Amino acid sequence: MGNTDTKSIFEKIWQSHVVKQIEGHPAVFVIDLMLIHEVTSAQAFKTLEEKGLPVFDSSKLLATIDHSIPTRANRWEIFDEAAKIQVETLRQNCKKYNIPFRDFNQGQGIVHVIGPELGLTQPGMTIVCGDSHTSTHGAFGALAFGIGTSEVGHVLATGCLLQQKPKSMKVEFRGHFRKGVFAKDAILALIGKIGIGGANGHVIEYTGQAIDAMSMEERMTVCNMSIECGARAGLIAPDKTTFAYLKDRPHAPKGEQWSKAIEYWQSLKSDNNCKYDREVIIDLDKLHPVVTWGTNPGQAIQITESVPKLANLPDSEQAVSKAALAYTHLSEGTKIEGTPIDWAFVGSCTNGRIEDLRIVAKVLAGHHIHPQVTMYIVPGSEAVLEQVKQEHLDKVFAEAGAQLRMPGCSMCLGMNDDKVPEGKRCVSSSNRNFQGRQGPGSITHLASPATVAASAIAGKLTSPEQYF
């Protein structure tokens, strides 16, 4: 993994966080920030209680509710008993252990949206959460990854984890986006190329001119989906774009501390000639919008292409692909563009930020969604919702016939009231298209927010290129 002189950004962050390392054992690894939500924390708190342990450092924690809450207007009335218990349990635990908690109307939002918004996510940090899409925070040059519930307990009690060191992988996005093609298309293209296990056991560092040109919100989209190709984490070296985004955020360093922070953050880049275990190049110059056709994010093609023929796929993928086609009711060799849809969803920790919603408004303006389509637009946080109203995007959505909902994970996963009905087909800006992910028997096509909006207008999978 490189020699003693040259190190990748991952190496630098890793080495500065190892408390103790015994040969042949996992490292004792310090965690700078843990985000907590209602679904994966209850058991961890229960363990603390049973063992009579205090919380190690509540200032390194932030909790919110996002996964199982409703997104309708009267969302504080939770009808689902299990969800109600999860939310109330987190409230009580945060009170008991003095943990900062963002409740309804108090800055609530999806964990991976509010962390960056508040300036809690910073370069060089280690960040964890009981949620696989924690890799989102890697966009800031942080080493961020999802952990299990028992590990959430470890961090609560000790501020550390036991970690095996992952391998490293470099992904270079070359070239520039065509009009109507976005960060979501780039990451889907990568997963489509290397497959859902293509980065197993690796931390991906994203590089290249396309990454340099991306906004922070686009970088978050890319890092968010690192987990979908098996990566442990994804990260991008911090630069002027990162610093500009963080400046003056509530928890960002201030005054003299800011100058010191910048000095340190600027050192967080991979040295020339550092070694990676694997390198991949994706050329974006000719990329069209990408959509998925199957039941995992690796089953992705450009919207101009046809569903693959099983005979043309590697032997190892044929059985899974055959089952996927049976589930999605698609036929091999048919064009993906023009597939009729019933639902459209924009939101999630992948694409529920203000820039995503501005793009959707740009496409929807002056148009109306197809009478056969139900469209949900769900901001990633209360701050994003506030911005939507300030910019009058809510009016654009209403005039187009789309429903603007309250913040939460919503239709990304069938864990709350927002579900795609059985047998119905949804084009979604979320991160996973597993069987039943958006509701039992639902069919999901992953796409960029622009593709979701264009498809909602047409009533079928459609390229948004004409709108740009």
Side-chain angles (χ1 to χ4, degrees):
M1 165 90 59
N3 58 40
T4 47
D5 303 314
T6 61
K7 294 186 182 80
S8 67
I9 175 176
F10 158 61
E11 286 268 75
K12 292 177 185 183
I13 300 172
W14 177 269
Q15 285 184 4
S16 67
H17 285 78
V18 171
V19 180
K20 192 173 176 85
Q21 174 80 69
I22 299 168
E23 185 96 21
H25 293 269
V28 178
F29 193 69
V30 77
I31 300 302
D32 298 317
L33 171 68
M34 181 163 70
L35 302 160
I36 300 169
H37 61 80
E38 73 275 26
V39 179
T40 55
S41 59
Q43 199 54 48
F45 282 111
K46 199 164 181 242
T47 306
L48 285 195
E49 208 170 299
E50 285 166 359
K51 295 184 185 298
L53 295 167
V55 161
F56 177 72
D57 184 354
S58 61
S59 71
K60 292 183 168 188
L61 307 170
L62 175 73
T64 191
I65 41 181
D66 57 8
H67 278 61
S68 57
I69 56 168
T71 64
R72 50 185 152 71
N74 62 334
R75 60 190 178 146
W76 53 87
E77 268 194 84
I78 302 174
F79 305 133
D80 181 279
E81 209 44 48
K84 197 184 204 162
I85 291 167
Q86 285 175 341
V87 168
E88 203 39 53
T89 303
L90 183 59
R91 277 192 187 121
Q92 294 309 322
N93 281 321
C94 288
K95 209 172 182 174
K96 178 177 175 178
Y97 294 102
N98 197 26
I99 293 166
F101 177 56
R102 298 279 169 155
D103 206 336
F104 292 139
N105 305 326
Q106 293 170 9
Q108 171 269 341
I110 302 174
V111 270
H112 310 312
V113 176
I114 67 171
E117 271 177 0
L118 293 168
L120 282 164
T121 302
Q122 295 172 21
M125 289 175 83
T126 52
I127 301 173
V128 295
C129 175
D131 183 276
S132 54
H133 294 103
T134 309
S135 53
T136 309
H137 306 266
F140 291 81
L143 182 56
F145 49 90
I147 56 175
T149 302
S150 60
E151 292 176 301
V152 171
H154 294 171
V155 178
L156 285 173
T158 69
C160 290
L161 273 178
L162 291 175
Q163 280 295 296
Q164 297 283 3
K165 187 177 184 185
K167 293 179 176 175
S168 69
M169 179 172 177
K170 179 181 173 184
V171 171
E172 186 184 346
F173 284 119
R174 280 193 186 158
H176 304 88
F177 289 122
R178 312 159 64 103
K179 298 281 184 202
V181 182
F182 297 91
K184 180 66 161 288
D185 301 299
I187 190 64
L188 283 171
L190 170 70
I191 302 163
K193 178 174 177 172
I194 68 174
I196 53 170
N200 274 359
H202 291 71
V203 168
I204 300 176
E205 182 186 346
Y206 297 100
T207 67
Q209 8 173 200
I211 292 290
D212 295 342
M214 279 181 192
S215 69
M216 284 312 299
E217 301 204 352
E218 291 175 301
R219 292 176 187 185
M220 283 188 251
T221 296
V222 169
C223 288
N224 173 276
M225 289 191 66
S226 305
I227 187 76
E228 305 307 340
C229 52
R232 190 78 182 98
L235 56 81
I236 293 167
D239 59 11
K240 284 179 182 155
T241 305
T242 322
F243 311 150
Y245 178 97
L246 281 170
K247 192 157 177 48
D248 300 326
R249 301 244 166 212
H251 289 271
K254 306 281 185 290
E256 206 180 305
Q257 295 307 116
W258 174 255
S259 314
K260 281 185 184 161
I262 293 276
E263 203 178 317
Y264 166 56
W265 294 345
Q266 283 172 334
S267 72
L268 293 169
K269 51 178 187 278
S270 294
D271 300 331
N272 292 335
N273 306 319
C274 69
K275 297 282 189 290
Y276 297 89
D277 296 293
R278 187 169 176 210
E279 298 192 29
V280 175
I281 293 166
I282 302 281
D283 192 352
L284 298 177
D285 283 332
K286 296 193 175 86
L287 188 71
H288 289 275
V290 178
V291 293
T292 58
W293 55 265
T295 51
N296 73 53
Q299 293 171 326
I301 52 174
Q302 295 184 55
I303 201 155
T304 50
E305 296 175 332
S306 300
V307 176
K309 291 198 165 153
L310 295 176
N312 298 340
L313 296 171
D315 292 349
S316 59
E317 283 173 35
Q318 288 186 17
V320 172
S321 300
K322 189 178 180 182
L325 290 177
Y327 185 82
T328 57
H329 306 302
L330 294 175
S331 307
E332 47 183 319
T334 54
K335 280 210 167 305
I336 191 77
E337 190 164 19
T339 304
I341 58 157
D342 310 291
W343 282 76
F345 169 62
V346 174
S348 82
C349 59
T350 316
N351 285 120
R353 295 178 181 80
I354 191 64
E355 285 178 14
D356 300 312
L357 304 197
R358 285 177 188 144
I359 288 165
V360 170
K362 181 178 165 68
V363 175
L364 292 180
H367 299 276
H368 202 278
I369 65 168
H370 194 275
Q372 247 62 64
V373 175
T374 306
M375 184 175 192
Y376 278 10
I377 298 173
V378 186
S381 69
E382 290 177 355
V384 173
L385 178 59
E386 189 51 41
Q387 191 72 29
V388 162
K389 289 175 178 172
Q390 278 178 19
E391 297 179 21
H392 308 299
L393 306 184
D394 52 339
K395 302 215 169 26
V396 176
F397 301 151
E399 283 164 15
Q403 293 184 40
L404 178 65
R405 312 278 292 186
M406 296 300 279
C409 293
S410 181
M411 210 171 243
C412 172
L413 78 174
M415 197 179 265
N416 49 63
D417 303 353
D418 302 351
K419 293 181 178 72
V420 175
E422 187 168 357
K424 298 296 183 188
R425 191 180 297 279
C426 179
V427 60
S428 175
S429 77
S430 54
N431 40 48
R432 286 186 173 156
N433 53 334
F434 303 159
Q435 291 192 15
R437 167 85 175 174
Q438 293 194 291
S442 61
I443 299 162
T444 302
H445 296 277
L446 302 178
S448 75
T451 301
V452 173
S455 303
I457 294 165
K460 55 193 179 185
L461 293 180
T462 301
S463 170
E465 289 166 283
Q466 59 182 307
Y467 295 97
F468 297 91

